[in-house]
């Protein structure tokens, strides 16, 4: 057997791959579920916080800023471990899936709030004044005039950040979530062969590479032109 | 003079330590066109913005069309529909078409259906000569066209009074005429107008009254001819001499 | 509640373990940040070659690492390479993974920075007799770095946070040490302590960044 053959035999072992393909596929389903939950809840929560911040209620804003800073400062893995291993001591025992979802959703919430807020504040005062002078209320102006312009501005930074955080679903492995990396790792230790890991790596590329390429396109498309 | 439609009394405005309006009285009759001139920083914009409460006066009273603008019980958003405002920098919404700009408040504040709002919006654009640009976004329009859309946005709500804050000073000279043309039309149709501007020619043949403001006070006012040819105050004379030299 | 989450006795017992972790996190950051910057600089300089044979592979490389979770990369190196007879150990795996992963991110940022410097700057430099490399080093790069400083800092913050992945491959950094202490004491206090340390360490940088970013986005209009 040549070195090449041995390499293929080890890292791309057909028998092992066929055997563990279903595991990897089920891991992909979990990863997708996690990713969708994180993106939806994280972005929604971030937007809500940014809108609340626009109300300019002092103590509320301090609280928002603190929460945002907190989740920007802490490493996502630390948050996951804290929720998964820490909360049970307080009587709540979230599953690994829920811990990972909550942690990454909080992180995305924090980053997206910051981006949404920067977008809102970058809309010139004249836009507010023009709208208010025609009788639109604060809320109507925010929703109809300011937010559409702000969102457009925030799309490129937001897509990049969302991808970077969503990739973190792999961290779920640490708290026994059966997502791709978790499935691949246990398959490796069961089969004494690294092929499942290669499949897992390919699975991540299948899921995230299209998103990254789309993000590149979005970035050029939504570059702000007036 | 008929009963005033705009009645402001003893308006003071402070920005922190800065005393910007020092007790301004202003009465404007229905169908009157009042011109406000004065050096930069004299408080002209602040005065206009106090009339529709974009700026909160520190003290004084403002009544427009019988509505006490400073009464906390007044529905300010409803009241503002009756007071159109046109800004120096147009402030069109860049993410909407010309028609979208004009119809937003019709739909959201006046409660019109989309079809009604579109019909009224098109009529307003027609009045400023831009019905054929209804589907263009602000970025696709010249400065003069943008300002005319901004005027349409205000008049579509059928206001009782229109406020203009230097509507032509951000425009290239060759585009100024088209905007003044629209303003002249509005005046002919009987609109009450308060105009901050240094377009002396327009003031001379369209204004009923010219007010000269300096340092937060109305220094002198009267018919255009009187103010421009025979100002009684030294400050007025100096200012008019200055802008006529340009 | 305080008993389980912030127990003073436990803190007194385990602080040397956690402190050793903090020290390693700082050391690890001091190694992987320059390593990532180096990787990024190489990529960004390569990107100035506008030949399609350089451009496309480069873009593919960067997109690959933007799509690939760093933890998967790390596990691939740590658990996969031994099968090829290459046992590198946790620390070396972290170093390589960070060089690749964070290098791609730094590379994108530096490339954007270099592109933000007007071509006239290089031309002015070359007209005074500077070589291409000199013009890049003395004229373009300093301006490029200044133009994208908030992004560079933000990425550096992410890199420091990412060092916590080392815990998965038994590098004794802050999170790893805290989890060791946790398993010794059966108490959440060590992890809470680690979280507080991370927060105190990184909060000033987050504050600074949020100011810079607000200004950057506002000026994009
Ligand atoms: N929001 C504000 N905060 C603080 N100071 C303000 C504010 N708005 C206006 N001012 C100050 O109030 C004074 C009057 O400003 P205003 O804009 O009313 O002058 P103006 O007569 O319209 O001048 P211009 O011809 O330059 O438009 C100026 O000194 C200005 O700096
Ligand atoms: Mg002004």
């Amino acid at each position: 057997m040549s070195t090449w053959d041995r390499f293929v035999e080890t890292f791309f072992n057909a028998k092992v791959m066929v055997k563990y393909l279903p595991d990897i596929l089920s891991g992909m389903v979990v990863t997708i579920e996690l990713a969708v939950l994180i993106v939806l809840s994280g972005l929604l929560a971030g937007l809500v916080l940014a809108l609340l911040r626009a109300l300019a209620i002092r103590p509320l804003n301090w609280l928002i800023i603190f929460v945002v800073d907190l989740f920007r400062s802490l490493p996502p893995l630390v948050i996951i471990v804290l929720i998964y291993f820490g909360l049970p001591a307080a009587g709540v025992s979230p599953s690994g899936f829920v811990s990972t979802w909550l942690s990454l959703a909080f992180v995305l919430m924090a980053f997206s709030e910051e981006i949404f807020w920067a977008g809102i504040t970058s809309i010139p005062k004249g836009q507010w004044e023009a709208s208010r002078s025609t009788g639109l209320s604060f809320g109507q102006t925010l929703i109809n005039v300011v937010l559409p312009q702000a969102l457009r501005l925030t799309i490129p930074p937001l897509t990049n950040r969302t991808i970077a955080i969503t990739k973190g679903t792999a961290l779920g492995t640490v708290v026994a979530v059966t997502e791709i990396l978790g499935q691949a790792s246990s398959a490796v230790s069961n089969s004494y062969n690294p092929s499942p890991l290669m499949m897992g790596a390919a699975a991540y590329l299948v899921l995230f590479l299209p998103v990254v390429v789309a993000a590149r396109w979005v970035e050029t498309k939504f570059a702000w032109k007036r | 003079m008929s009963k005033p439609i705009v009645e402001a009394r003893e308006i003071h405005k402070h920005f922190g330590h800065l005393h910007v309006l020092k007790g301004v009285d202003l009465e404007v009759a229905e169908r009157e066109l009042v011109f406000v001139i004065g050096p930069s920083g004299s408080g002209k914009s602040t005065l206009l913005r106090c009339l529709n409460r974009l700026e909160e006066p520190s003290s004084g009273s403002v009544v427009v069309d019988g509505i006490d603008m400073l009464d906390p019980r007044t529905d300010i958003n409803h009241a503002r529909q009756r007071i159109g405002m046109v800004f120096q920098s147009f402030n069109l919404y860049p993410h909407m078409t010309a028609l979208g700009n004009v119809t937003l408040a019709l739909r959201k504040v006046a409660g019109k259906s989309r079809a009604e709002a579109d019909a009224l919006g098109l009529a307003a654009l027609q009045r400023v000569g831009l019905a054929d640009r209804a589907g263009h976004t602000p970025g696709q329009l010249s400065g003069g066209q943008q300002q005319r859309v901004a005027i349409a946005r205000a008049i579509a709500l059928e206001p009782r009074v229109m406020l203009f804050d230097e509507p032509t000073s951000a425009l290239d000279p060759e585009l100024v005429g088209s905007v003044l043309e629209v303003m002249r039309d509005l005046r002919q149709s009987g609109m009450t107008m308060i105009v901050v501007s240094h377009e002396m020619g327009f003031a001379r043949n369209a204004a009923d009254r010219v007010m000269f403001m300096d340092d937060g006070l109305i220094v002198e006012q009267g018919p255009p001819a009187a103010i421009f040819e025979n100002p009684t105050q030294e400050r007025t004379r100096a200012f008019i001499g200055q802008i006529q030299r340009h | 509640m305080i008993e389980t989450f912030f127990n003073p006795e436990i803190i007194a017992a385990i602080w040397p373990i956690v402190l050793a972790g903090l020290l390693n996190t700082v050391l690890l950051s001091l190694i992987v940040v320059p390593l990532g910057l180096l990787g990024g600089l190489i990529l960004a300089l390569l990107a100035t070659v506008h030949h399609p044979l350089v451009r496309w592979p480069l873009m593919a490389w960067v997109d690959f690492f933007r799509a690939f979770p760093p933890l998967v990369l790390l596990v691939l190196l740590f658990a996969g390479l031994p099968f090829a007879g290459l046992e590198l150990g946790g620390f070396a795996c972290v170093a390589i993974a960070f060089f690749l992963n964070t290098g791609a991110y730094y590379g994108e940022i530096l490339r954007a920075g270099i592109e933000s410097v007007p071509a006239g700057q290089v031309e002015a430099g070359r007209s005074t007799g500077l070589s291409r490399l000199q013009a890049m080093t003395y004229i373009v790069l300093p301006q490029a770095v200044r133009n994208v400083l908030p992004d560079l800092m933000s990425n550096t913050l992410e890199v420091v946070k990412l060092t916590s992945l080392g815990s998965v491959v038994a590098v004794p950094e802050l999170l790893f040490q805290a989890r060791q202490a946790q398993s010794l004491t059966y108490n959440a206090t060590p992890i809470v302590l680690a979280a507080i340390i991370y927060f105190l360490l990184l909060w000033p940088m987050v504050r600074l960044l949020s100011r810079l970013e607000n200004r950057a986005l506002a000026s994009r209009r």
Side-chain angles (χ1 to χ4, degrees):
Chain A
M1 219 157 65
S2 73
T3 321
W4 174 250
D5 287 336
R6 212 166 333 119
F7 175 78
V8 171
E9 184 67 22
T10 312
F11 284 92
F12 299 92
N13 188 305
K15 261 214 303 252
V16 175
M17 284 182 139
V18 170
K19 181 165 176 215
Y20 288 101
L21 183 64
D23 288 1
I24 300 291
L25 288 179
S26 85
M28 279 177 90
V29 173
V30 175
T31 296
I32 292 171
E33 284 171 357
L34 254 182
V36 169
L37 278 174
I38 290 164
V39 171
L40 291 182
S41 53
L43 290 180
L44 187 69
L47 184 59
V48 168
L49 285 193
L51 292 177
L52 285 177
R53 193 167 169 187
L55 297 179
I57 304 166
R58 273 278 175 86
L60 181 64
N61 280 10
W62 287 334
L63 186 67
I64 292 174
I65 292 171
F66 176 75
V67 169
V68 165
D69 281 4
L70 181 67
F71 285 109
R72 281 187 69 170
S73 310
L74 292 182
L77 187 54
V78 172
I79 304 171
I80 293 175
V81 168
L82 205 55
I83 290 184
Y84 186 75
F85 294 106
L87 276 192
V92 211
S93 300
S95 67
F97 185 92
V98 171
S99 305
T100 310
W101 165 35
L102 285 183
S103 306
L104 296 181
F106 280 136
V107 174
L108 183 55
M109 170 188 83
F111 277 96
S112 64
E113 189 280 338
E114 195 76 10
I115 297 173
F116 285 131
W117 177 246
I120 290 173
T121 50
S122 70
I123 303 303
K125 219 167 125 238
Q127 291 289 313
W128 284 94
E129 292 181 344
S131 173
R132 295 307 302 274
S133 80
T134 62
L136 268 76
S137 66
F138 176 87
Q140 286 175 319
T141 302
L142 186 59
I143 300 296
N144 293 289
V145 175
V146 174
L147 209 52
Q149 300 180 52
L151 286 185
R152 200 189 157 92
L153 208 60
T154 55
I155 280 174
L158 211 51
T159 30
N160 282 333
R161 192 56 81 177
T162 304
I163 293 171
I165 292 168
T166 313
K167 281 193 313 188
T169 49
L171 299 176
T173 299
V174 176
V175 291
V177 179
T178 53
E179 48 68 68
I180 300 172
L181 183 59
Q183 293 283 12
S185 299
S186 54
V188 169
S189 47
N190 290 336
S191 64
Y192 303 105
N193 181 285
S195 301
L197 212 45
M198 303 310 284
M199 279 202 289
Y204 278 108
L205 289 181
V206 168
L207 288 186
F208 286 106
L209 204 51
V211 186
V212 168
V213 173
R216 244 187 217 287
W217 174 80
V218 162
E219 211 165 304
T220 41
K221 172 119 206 287
F222 284 90
W224 188 258
K225 288 185 222 84
R226 290 207 86 182
Chain B
M1 207 151 98
S2 61
K3 189 178 146 22
I5 188 166
V6 174
E7 221 178 334
R9 294 255 166 267
E10 267 300 301
I11 299 189
H12 286 264
K13 177 66 186 173
H14 299 262
F15 289 112
H17 294 297
L18 204 59
H19 198 176
V20 174
L21 296 180
K22 300 175 176 169
V24 175
D25 287 310
L26 172 70
E27 265 186 24
V28 181
E30 223 167 308
R31 298 173 154 265
E32 197 182 10
L33 193 163
V34 175
F35 233 77
V36 183
I37 59 175
S40 179
S42 56
K44 307 179 298 291
S45 300
T46 306
L47 174 61
L48 278 197
R49 295 151 59 84
C50 281
L51 297 181
N52 66 354
R53 232 176 93 186
L54 276 185
E55 218 66 83
E56 199 78 38
S58 308
S59 66
S61 74
V62 177
V63 178
V64 177
D65 197 22
I67 299 175
D68 181 352
M69 296 296 290
L70 303 186
D71 186 339
R73 283 164 305 182
T74 299
D75 177 352
I76 189 68
N77 296 324
H78 198 263
R80 278 178 181 155
Q81 275 189 271
R82 301 161 177 250
I83 310 171
M85 186 166 211
V86 174
F87 302 83
Q88 177 173 358
S89 52
F90 328 141
N91 294 348
L92 289 183
Y93 315 134
H95 61 301
M96 292 180 177
T97 61
L99 187 61
N101 268 274
V102 178
T103 56
L104 182 66
L106 283 170
R107 291 193 289 122
K108 301 292 174 186
V109 189
K112 305 270 191 248
S113 73
R114 185 177 282 274
E116 280 177 295
D118 282 354
L120 290 170
L122 271 177
L125 285 172
Q126 184 92 50
R127 277 185 75 182
V128 300
L130 288 173
D132 57 331
R133 299 294 150 90
H136 288 49
T137 58
Q140 298 166 324
L141 299 172
S142 74
Q145 291 171 330
Q146 288 189 50
Q147 193 58 300
R148 281 147 66 198
V149 171
I151 294 175
R153 173 169 70 185
I155 62 175
L157 294 160
E158 300 188 337
R160 301 295 316 274
V161 185
M162 286 280 288
L163 312 174
F164 292 83
D165 192 0
E166 308 204 28
T168 56
S169 53
L171 296 175
D172 292 337
E174 73 272 20
L175 300 176
V176 169
S178 66
V179 171
L180 293 182
E181 188 66 34
V182 167
M183 290 171 65
R184 199 163 291 144
D185 269 6
L186 263 184
R187 155 147 194 73
Q188 236 113 59
S189 71
M191 177 67 74
T192 309
M193 295 160 73
I194 305 176
V195 181
V196 173
S197 168
H198 294 148
E199 296 290 342
M200 304 297 262
F202 183 73
R204 226 180 273 273
N205 58 43
D208 298 300
R209 182 154 51 112
V210 173
M211 301 188 344
F212 172 66
M213 266 186 92
D214 192 16
D215 198 20
L217 280 171
I218 294 172
V219 174
E220 174 166 18
Q221 54 179 312
I227 297 290
F228 293 143
E229 311 328 333
N230 294 309
T232 58
Q233 303 289 318
E234 183 47 43
R235 280 194 278 176
T236 319
R237 203 191 320 271
F239 178 73
I240 288 178
Q242 218 171 41
I243 54 176
Q244 274 173 343
R245 235 175 290 129
H246 289 286
Chain C
M1 206 64 168
I2 295 222
E3 283 289 288
T4 44
F5 286 109
F6 209 66
N7 189 322
E9 277 168 39
I10 291 188
I11 292 179
I14 52 96
W15 72 263
I17 304 179
V18 174
L19 197 66
L22 170 62
L23 209 63
N24 282 334
T25 288
V26 172
L27 282 177
L28 196 56
S29 301
L30 288 178
I31 293 167
V32 295
V33 168
L35 218 50
L37 275 170
L38 178 69
L41 191 59
I42 295 172
L43 292 176
L45 289 178
L46 279 175
T48 60
V49 183
H50 288 291
H51 196 278
L53 274 180
V54 179
R55 229 172 80 97
W56 290 107
L58 204 62
M59 213 191 248
W61 175 274
V62 169
D63 281 359
F64 179 89
F65 287 107
R66 286 217 296 181
F68 213 64
L71 180 60
V72 180
L73 186 59
L74 185 58
V75 171
L76 207 58
L77 294 172
F78 187 72
L81 282 184
F83 286 95
L86 212 59
E87 203 126 3
L88 290 179
F91 182 80
C93 288
V94 169
I96 298 173
F98 274 62
F99 177 72
L100 295 173
N101 174 271
T102 65
Y105 280 87
Y106 276 127
E108 277 293 279
I109 295 167
L110 287 173
R111 181 182 62 84
I114 290 175
E115 280 171 9
S116 74
V117 179
Q121 291 292 312
V122 177
E123 284 162 13
R126 298 297 301 272
S127 76
T128 63
L130 295 183
S131 72
R132 243 180 80 94
L133 190 66
Q134 286 174 317
M136 180 55 83
T137 314
Y138 298 119
I139 297 172
V140 179
L141 276 180
Q143 299 185 53
V145 167
R146 202 190 48 202
N147 290 351
V148 293
L149 199 57
D151 287 340
L152 283 175
M153 287 172 56
S154 156
N155 198 50
T156 302
L157 173 70
E158 292 308 301
V159 175
V160 174
K161 283 157 63 180
L162 220 50
T163 56
S164 60
L165 295 192
S167 66
V168 178
V169 294
V171 172
E173 47 69 73
L174 183 51
L175 178 59
F176 182 85
Q177 294 292 89
R179 291 195 60 188
Q180 292 290 100
Q182 179 209 15
S183 59
L184 289 176
T185 57
Y186 299 103
N187 186 290
T189 303
I191 308 239
V192 174
L193 185 61
I196 292 173
I197 294 177
Y198 273 116
F199 182 64
L200 293 180
L201 195 65
L202 299 177
W203 195 24
M205 192 145 157
V206 168
R207 260 313 62 238
L208 179 66
L209 266 173
S210 102
R211 274 154 195 267
L212 290 177
E213 279 163 7
N214 266 312
R215 226 178 296 154
L217 197 67
S219 67
R220 275 178 57 158
R221 290 184 63 94

